[in-house]
Amino acid sequence: MTARVLAVLPAFNESGNVGRVVGELRALPDPPDVLVVDDGSSDETARVAADAGARVLRMPYNAGIGATVQAGVNWGLERSYDVIARFDGDGQHDPRSLATLAAPIEANSADFVLGSRYLRGEGFQSTWARRTGSRWFAFLLRALSGLRITDPTSGCWVANRRAARVLARDYSSDYPEVDSLVRLSRDGCRVREEAIVMRAREAGQSSIDVIKAPYYMFKVTIALVIGRVEKRTRSGGAS
């Protein structure tokens, strides 16, 4: 890659995984700079990340995934990176996907490229609860914004500066993936998907389990519908 690329890794109590992810990113043929944003971890996440060669930004408390990613995006924009990628610190996103996701950005055919585990159906396909949520949000995205996305809850993506500025300005505090796609589309960003292969988590556990999944679906659905109503109300008022 000729562009300056930053890989942002949000991490909360991922000392058992984050070092491996940082190492894999730094071992790529064309490695990006790596920033681990430690979301107030109580374990050795920050030390492990630094030992593996990452730069570390520590949140003062557990702020949630949205604020953590947004902090990383702002950090990258302030330092004039051309491309910002997100890979989770849990190791489920294969760093070798970076070149595939960044290619449309470099070709100027997209502003934001989302990695989808469902386009080819290979690798770890997540739990049934997450798959059910993904199908529902895919339907909701088509209805609200016309976007045809197969994996709207994916947290693996690459953005150019235009898309990154949208995320830096507007990013939900928690469960931000679906909402960010709507915001990017409304801002005129070109959004597309590329197939990736996800891996099963090796250590720790996900923050979304079978109990939290229905709450996640309900909360995000309400937020998207309210956002749609507010947009129509503002448009009506302006006319």
Side-chain angles (χ1 to χ4, degrees):
M1 301 177 193
T2 57
R4 294 186 67 230
V5 182
L6 176 70
V8 174
L9 275 64
F12 175 65
N13 289 343
E14 293 289 358
S15 60
N17 296 304
V18 70
R20 175 170 57 90
V21 182
V22 172
E24 289 178 328
L25 283 164
R26 298 187 71 222
L28 291 173
D30 196 0
D33 291 338
V34 182
L35 173 71
V36 171
V37 187
D38 178 15
D39 189 20
S41 296
S42 58
D43 66 1
E44 295 296 308
T45 291
R47 181 189 60 78
V48 171
D51 288 349
R55 298 174 184 176
V56 178
L57 176 64
R58 302 193 71 172
M59 303 295 280
Y61 53 86
N62 182 222
I65 186 65
T68 302
V69 173
Q70 193 173 37
V73 171
N74 273 290
W75 191 95
L77 287 173
E78 289 170 358
R79 287 156 181 80
S80 301
Y81 282 92
D82 305 300
V83 176
I84 297 177
R86 174 190 164 184
F87 288 85
D88 281 346
D90 61 10
Q92 289 192 278
H93 301 150
D94 189 337
R96 292 173 295 183
S97 301
L98 178 58
T100 298
L101 297 177
I105 302 290
E106 289 207 314
N108 196 28
S109 60
D111 301 303
F112 183 89
V113 182
L114 185 70
S116 171
R117 77 201 90 178
Y118 302 131
L119 277 177
R120 286 202 305 255
E122 299 176 4
F124 178 64
Q125 297 293 288
S126 193
T127 63
W128 69 265
R130 281 179 175 262
R131 292 196 301 272
T132 299
S134 287
R135 286 193 288 269
W136 167 246
F137 291 133
F139 165 77
L140 205 59
L141 280 171
R142 286 197 301 272
L144 295 179
S145 62
L147 281 175
R148 293 186 175 273
I149 299 294
T150 65
D151 196 357
T153 62
S154 172
C156 183
W157 48 256
V158 174
N160 64 11
R161 287 186 61 83
R162 178 185 179 185
R165 282 193 290 266
V166 175
L167 301 179
R169 184 180 68 242
D170 296 310
Y171 208 71
S172 295
S173 59
D174 57 355
Y175 311 134
E177 290 83 8
V178 182
D179 181 73
S180 66
L181 291 171
V182 174
R183 294 178 187 272
L184 288 163
S185 177
R186 288 178 181 171
D187 224 68
C189 292
R190 297 164 297 169
V191 178
R192 64 180 285 178
E193 279 187 306
E194 292 288 343
I196 62 170
V197 176
M198 284 190 63
R199 308 180 294 199
R201 170 189 280 271
E202 290 189 4
Q205 62 182 32
S206 172
S207 61
I208 300 178
D209 54 26
V210 69
I211 297 175
K212 292 182 181 179
Y215 168 74
Y216 170 34
M217 292 176 63
F218 175 77
K219 180 174 182 178
V220 176
T221 298
I222 294 299
L224 292 178
V225 171
I226 290 175
R228 181 69 169 178
V229 171
E230 288 179 345
K231 181 174 182 287
R232 286 181 173 177
T233 301
R234 288 196 299 268
S235 299
S239 62

